[in-house]
Amino acid sequence: MAIRAVNNCSFFRPSPSLFSTYRRLPSVIRFHPPSSCYGCCHTQTRSIKSLFETVMEELKAKRKRRKKVVVSVNASASSSNAELLNEVLTEEILVNRSLQKGLLLEFKKDSDRILLAVAQRPDGKKNWMVSDQNGVSSSIKPQQVTYIVPGISNFDQANIAGFLQKAQDNMDPSLLEFAWSELLEKNKTVTVEEMAEIIFGSVEPLESYSAHLLLSKDEVYFTVLETKGSRCIYGPRSSEQVEELIHRKAAKEIAVKEFQEFIKLLRSAKSMPSQDKPSKSSWKDEEKIWSRIESLEAYAIDACKSDEQRETAGMILKEMGLAKTTSSAVKLLTDIGYFPVHVNLDLLKMKIPTDHSEKITSAAQSLLSDSSDPDEVNRKNLTNLKVYAIDVDEADELDDALSATKLQDGRINVWIHVADATRYVQPGSIVDREAMRRGTSVFLPTATYPMFPENLAMGAMSLRQGELCNAVTVSVVLHDDGSIAECSVFNSVIKPTYMLTYESASELLHLNLQEEVELRTLYEAAKLRLNWRRQQGAVETATLETRIKVSNPEDPEPSITLYVENQADPAMRLVSEMMILCGEAIATFGSLNNIPLPYRGQPQSDINLSEFSHLPEGPVRSFALVKIMRAAEIDFRKPARHGVLGVPGYVQFTSPIRRYLDLLAHYQIKAFLRGEPPPFTPGNLEGIGAGVNEKAREVRKLGNSSLRYWILEYLRKQPEARRYRALVLKFFKGRLAALLLVEVGFQATAWVSVGTQIGDEVVVKVEESHPRDDIIYVKEVARD
């Protein structure tokens, strides 16, 4: 082994056997010897620097000699020239990527993987077949090659793993730090093989590849200055750059550690039993954890606010071994207990507010504390009337009720009492603006999210049985044919007598009790109205309506109660007719007094009802008629005929607690009753109405999707052997039909038997129901 004299000290030329010695050498920059041994250490440092200079001089000389070597060397060339020729040829391979069988090379498999492989044979004009470290053969392009290991001509693929392990064992970044400090001081560049010579004392294949790994993975000390084929020229970064990169690297390592701790937390939560999983609120305790959960949630509902959120969610899913899809994110959040099993994704996507801020709730409470009533002196006392409030059994916002008596001349006087929401809220107030922003209350199978704070909507504003309640009453006297003879609108005080469900009201009508003659009178008025509207061209669209109540939606297996209501039911028909009557009366009152209101109209559809007479009345005929109806329109200046309802004008007025457009109508009517100008012009109403209607459409879409989800979940939980009656509504293609499952009021499609006609009833079974994927498979079966 060669020995050099350096500053009167003897040093062996670096070799692989001295690798560990070099690894332990301290950096010149960081070496601060104690004063007691300064002379010794100073000599050592000077010797290391001198050694480095000697190595660099030899490398420089070798570079010069390479340039003088020509490719055509005769057989008598000296051994030293032959050695240089071999180095030149190796460099030619590295630069020009000229692959040969048996070469050991590194290539980029994809964006995430870099593998070692042995070249096997050409594949086409430019590609090569290689066999990688995993024993997989593939065809690669020359551009995929990132490094060709020099000095190897016939490598055995079976030895790749061992070679790679030895190279990775040599991965000590401190070696680069040493080389960087010296090269920076000398302002020198270096190739991979030269770096191998500097830090390992050898350019053997293993040492060269180890140097390549160190340099290619280095993010601190060196940068690529030039690339020629598979050969890169590296240069040392400046001290300032290195200091900044070291700082960034440390921060990155901390971030990686925190990320791994987060992944560990997710895996732990995922493995826990349902009852032991962390609560949703606990994920918000630490800001960094909450930020990652937020990113994952945003990804799950396709609502990422930035690329950073999207990338964070993608990293989490990848680390958890999941596909980068929204469904994977939903599943993960469900598995850790952050989402309930039946999370309403549409509710999250639409950002529908589910509670009121403390500011709004406090403002509502202040309104309740004010006992003054600006209309007190003008309220008619109607507490002598028997008042019926009829609604679904779970209704919390009761905003309309009914009364009726027969006059001496036999005509019927109907009173529609509507909760006086404007007793508590005024246009432009903070509570009003919040109601406008929401547009409507949200009614879902799992919960109700009111337009007003609960202490108003379900408290003071709402009509309450046996209590004095402020109302706006619409009084209508009917002609014998059901048309309006007289109508008036005024402030009132009522005392609701009964709070009835549709079922109980229908039962009372069926019993025909003498004590409830007023209810029978209301039903008589409803029948008169229905007949009159039909004569005016009204289109009958009564069908089945499904409601679902989920009492414990957070549970994996919640309790589901399903109601199917026939809109032709006597009590439902009664209430529906009285609401239409109220809408016609308000439109008439507004038109006579030139009050801007949200007048709803529907252009008279060219519907020849005789063309549908062959269809059975009820859901089948209604389905066919609804498909050809035109959309309703709103005019804020004057009434327009509502062709489907068969009335000359119509204003929705009976739900001011749950619909903002109804509240607008109350603002306008109440101002007129006080002798004041209306607070909103037609233009004002049109602007407000556009935003409110858009919000109402979103809520309606949410309600429909939520109802469908829970119907599918209900069907999923039913016994496999259960059968359902189904009405054929329509044929699509061949025997594929739209069906209405009568027992659940739900539409589905299925193939039906030859000879089946629209309106026929068939028997079906539900083969599969997947609520989360919105999929249901229904099959016709033979009747028992």
Side-chain angles (χ1 to χ4, degrees):
M1 181 177 292
I3 299 178
R4 296 184 185 147
V6 183
N7 291 347
N8 297 323
C9 294
S10 296
F11 271 75
F12 285 102
R13 182 183 180 194
S15 66
S17 64
L18 291 178
F19 171 74
S20 59
T21 301
Y22 270 83
R23 179 171 291 187
R24 292 193 299 270
L25 288 176
S27 167
V28 174
I29 290 180
R30 295 184 178 180
F31 189 77
H32 300 288
S35 57
S36 60
C37 58
Y38 175 79
C40 173
C41 292
H42 180 69
T43 302
Q44 183 186 23
T45 301
R46 188 172 63 248
S47 299
I48 294 170
K49 294 178 70 172
S50 300
L51 172 62
F52 178 83
E53 291 169 357
T54 303
V55 172
M56 291 305 299
E57 287 173 3
E58 183 175 318
L59 290 173
K60 183 178 180 181
K62 189 177 288 188
R63 282 184 183 178
K64 289 181 179 180
R65 289 200 302 275
R66 284 177 185 167
K67 293 179 181 179
K68 296 178 181 180
V69 177
V70 294
V71 175
S72 55
V73 178
N74 57 35
S76 62
S78 67
S79 60
S80 60
N81 276 346
E83 181 182 349
L84 282 172
L85 175 60
N86 184 54
E87 293 179 7
V88 170
L89 291 175
T90 298
E91 182 167 353
E92 181 71 14
I93 291 173
L94 292 172
V95 171
N96 296 326
R97 296 179 188 260
S98 55
L99 299 181
Q100 299 173 13
K101 182 178 180 180
L103 287 180
L104 181 63
L105 56 89
E106 183 189 79
F107 73 98
K108 195 167 187 178
K109 179 73 172 178
D110 50 44
S111 59
D112 296 323
R113 292 181 296 170
I114 293 179
L115 303 176
L116 267 181
V118 176
Q120 300 294 343
R121 57 181 173 78
D123 183 33
K125 292 184 179 180
K126 295 183 179 181
N127 292 6
W128 268 76
M129 292 298 298
V130 299
S131 183
D132 64 34
Q133 63 201 56
N134 301 315
V136 177
S137 295
S138 53
S139 177
I140 66 169
K141 299 177 181 179
Q143 295 89 336
Q144 291 177 256
V145 177
T146 52
Y147 187 67
I148 298 175
V149 181
I152 292 178
S153 58
N154 192 21
F155 198 85
D156 187 349
Q157 185 270 338
N159 296 329
I160 294 180
F163 181 88
L164 182 59
Q165 184 59 55
K166 291 178 181 178
Q168 289 173 342
D169 291 342
N170 288 343
M171 294 287 287
D172 184 353
S174 64
L175 297 172
L176 284 185
E177 183 183 1
F178 168 75
W180 167 77
S181 64
E182 299 299 342
L183 289 168
L184 179 65
E185 185 177 340
K186 300 299 181 181
N187 193 26
K188 299 289 186 181
T189 61
V190 67
T191 65
V192 169
E193 291 72 32
E194 290 169 347
M195 180 62 77
E197 180 76 26
I198 293 171
I199 62 179
F200 298 124
S202 169
V203 290
E204 293 298 313
L206 179 61
E207 284 71 21
S208 293
Y209 186 61
S210 298
H212 163 72
L213 287 180
L214 281 168
L215 285 167
S216 63
K217 295 180 183 299
D218 173 52
E219 298 177 349
V220 177
Y221 299 105
F222 290 90
T223 185
V224 177
L225 297 178
E226 184 180 354
T227 301
K228 295 181 179 179
S230 298
R231 166 157 290 189
C232 295
I233 307 297
Y234 292 87
R237 288 188 170 97
S238 67
S239 299
E240 293 78 9
Q241 287 177 314
V242 168
E243 183 178 355
E244 174 62 23
L245 289 171
I246 288 175
H247 176 75
R248 290 184 188 177
K249 185 178 180 182
K252 183 178 179 180
E253 288 172 353
I254 293 172
V256 169
K257 183 178 179 181
E258 289 176 345
F259 181 75
Q260 290 304 321
E261 288 295 324
F262 175 74
I263 296 298
K264 184 178 178 181
L265 185 64
L266 291 183
R267 288 181 175 139
S268 174
K270 188 177 177 181
S271 65
M272 292 178 181
S274 298
Q275 66 273 14
D276 296 333
K277 292 183 185 295
S279 65
K280 184 173 183 177
S281 60
S282 67
W283 293 99
K284 301 180 181 180
D285 292 343
E286 293 186 30
E287 184 178 348
K288 291 183 178 178
I289 290 177
W290 174 233
S291 175
R292 292 187 176 106
I293 290 292
E294 271 191 315
S295 296
L296 202 56
E297 181 178 3
Y299 193 89
I301 61 174
D302 198 21
C304 289
K305 298 176 182 177
S306 64
D307 290 340
E308 183 182 359
Q309 270 197 332
R310 193 171 291 103
E311 290 168 4
T312 298
M315 288 170 56
I316 295 169
L317 294 172
K318 180 181 177 182
E319 194 67 21
M320 293 295 291
L322 300 171
K324 294 180 182 179
T325 62
T326 56
S327 58
S328 293
V330 172
K331 186 178 187 307
L332 177 56
L333 289 168
T334 303
D335 288 344
I336 66 173
Y338 180 81
F339 277 169
V341 172
H342 299 287
V343 59
N344 192 327
L345 296 175
D346 287 335
L347 180 65
L348 298 176
K349 288 177 182 179
M350 294 181 182
K351 297 181 180 178
I352 301 293
T354 57
D355 52 18
H356 288 269
S357 68
E358 185 177 344
K359 183 178 181 181
I360 299 298
T361 303
S362 298
Q365 191 59 45
S366 297
L367 293 174
L368 293 173
S369 302
D370 183 3
S371 59
S372 62
D373 176 11
D375 302 305
E376 184 175 6
V377 296
N378 295 319
R379 290 193 186 278
K380 288 187 179 181
N381 189 335
L382 300 181
T383 56
N384 62 308
L385 292 176
K386 184 176 284 189
V387 178
Y388 299 89
I390 306 172
D391 211 326
V392 295
D393 58 355
E394 67 269 19
D396 296 312
E397 304 169 341
L398 295 172
D399 45 17
D400 57 72
L402 305 168
S403 301
T405 60
K406 277 198 174 182
L407 303 177
Q408 291 182 354
D409 59 7
R411 296 184 301 171
I412 297 175
N413 191 173
V414 173
W415 289 273
I416 301 101
H417 313 289
V418 184
D420 189 0
T422 64
R423 154 73 174 77
Y424 296 97
V425 62
Q426 298 299 317
S429 66
I430 184 173
V431 175
D432 169 73
R433 291 197 303 272
E434 176 63 14
M436 183 193 302
R437 186 178 74 86
R438 293 170 179 254
T440 179
S441 293
V442 181
F443 300 97
L444 302 179
T446 52
T448 296
Y449 306 114
M451 183 172 73
F452 288 109
E454 287 190 15
N455 52 357
L456 282 177
M458 301 172 187
M461 284 182 176
S462 188
L463 301 180
R464 301 171 303 284
Q465 184 176 1
E467 297 183 27
L468 295 179
C469 301
N470 292 333
V472 178
T473 294
V474 178
S475 175
V476 179
V477 176
L478 297 177
H479 284 300
D480 292 341
D481 64 353
S483 61
I484 296 177
E486 305 171 17
C487 72
S488 59
V489 183
F490 49 86
N491 295 303
S492 66
V493 177
I494 63 171
K495 190 175 183 179
T497 313
Y498 294 117
M499 297 294 184
L500 301 175
T501 64
Y502 288 112
E503 294 81 358
S504 58
S506 291
E507 185 176 352
L508 283 176
L509 287 171
H510 177 72
L511 293 173
N512 197 20
L513 299 175
Q514 186 62 36
E515 297 88 343
E516 304 302 333
V517 64
E518 294 87 353
L519 185 62
R520 175 57 58 182
T521 302
L522 278 169
Y523 187 58
E524 185 180 339
K527 289 193 293 183
L528 286 175
R529 286 290 301 170
L530 177 60
N531 290 333
W532 180 80
R533 289 194 306 107
R534 283 174 173 170
Q535 292 172 7
Q536 308 308 307
V539 180
E540 185 68 23
T541 58
T543 186
L544 301 181
E545 186 174 275
T546 304
R547 290 187 297 111
I548 279 186
K549 182 71 174 178
V550 183
S551 56
N552 49 345
E554 298 292 317
D555 291 353
E557 294 292 333
S559 173
I560 304 173
T561 305
L562 181 140
Y563 307 87
V564 179
E565 296 162 341
N566 190 335
Q567 292 177 337
D569 172 85
M572 294 198 79
R573 176 76 76 189
L574 185 158
V575 172
S576 175
E577 287 300 328
M578 293 303 101
M579 298 303 102
I580 295 172
L581 174 61
C582 181
E584 181 188 350
I586 289 294
T588 301
F589 185 83
S591 178
L592 290 174
N593 295 289
N594 198 29
I595 305 173
L597 292 169
Y599 297 100
R600 289 181 178 271
Q602 188 172 39
Q604 181 68 47
S605 302
D606 297 327
I607 300 175
N608 184 353
L609 294 179
S610 63
E611 294 179 2
F612 299 88
S613 59
H614 66 288
L615 298 175
E617 287 188 17
V620 176
R621 186 182 294 182
S622 295
F623 178 84
L625 289 169
V626 168
K627 290 296 183 183
I628 63 172
M629 288 181 182
R630 297 169 63 181
E633 300 172 354
I634 300 181
D635 190 314
F636 295 95
R637 292 168 175 80
K638 62 182 184 302
R641 177 172 172 73
H642 200 296
V644 171
L645 296 181
V647 293
Y650 181 70
V651 175
Q652 287 186 331
F653 191 76
T654 58
S655 297
I657 303 177
R658 48 180 107 175
R659 289 193 304 240
Y660 192 78
L661 279 187
D662 291 41
L663 182 67
L664 282 179
H666 275 248
Y667 284 147
Q668 300 289 86
I669 294 291
K670 288 296 294 285
F672 177 82
L673 295 179
R674 295 188 189 113
E676 301 171 357
F680 300 106
T681 65
N684 296 148
L685 292 175
E686 187 172 0
I688 296 170
V692 169
N693 280 328
E694 178 62 32
K695 185 63 67 175
R697 278 190 290 270
E698 288 183 7
V699 171
R700 191 159 50 247
K701 180 180 177 182
L702 171 64
N704 291 338
S705 67
S706 300
L707 179 63
R708 181 177 174 85
Y709 176 93
W710 285 106
I711 291 176
L712 290 178
E713 177 63 11
Y714 173 84
L715 292 172
R716 185 188 70 82
K717 297 175 67 174
Q718 298 307 298
E720 186 177 349
R722 181 173 177 181
R723 301 294 184 261
Y724 303 87
R725 293 184 299 117
L727 294 173
V728 178
L729 302 175
K730 175 184 178 181
F731 283 102
F732 294 106
K733 183 179 181 181
R735 308 311 302 164
L736 182 63
L739 306 176
L740 177 66
L741 278 61
V742 176
E743 289 90 346
V744 290
F746 180 74
Q747 291 184 24
T749 59
W751 296 92
V752 296
S753 304
V754 174
T756 305
Q757 302 296 320
I758 293 177
D760 288 351
E761 183 179 288
V762 297
V763 178
V764 299
K765 63 176 287 191
V766 176
E767 292 197 311
E768 293 182 44
S769 182
H770 305 286
R772 184 59 67 200
D773 300 320
D774 192 23
I775 293 173
I776 183 171
Y777 296 110
V778 176
K779 181 180 180 181
E780 183 185 12
V781 295
R783 292 179 180 273
D784 295 334

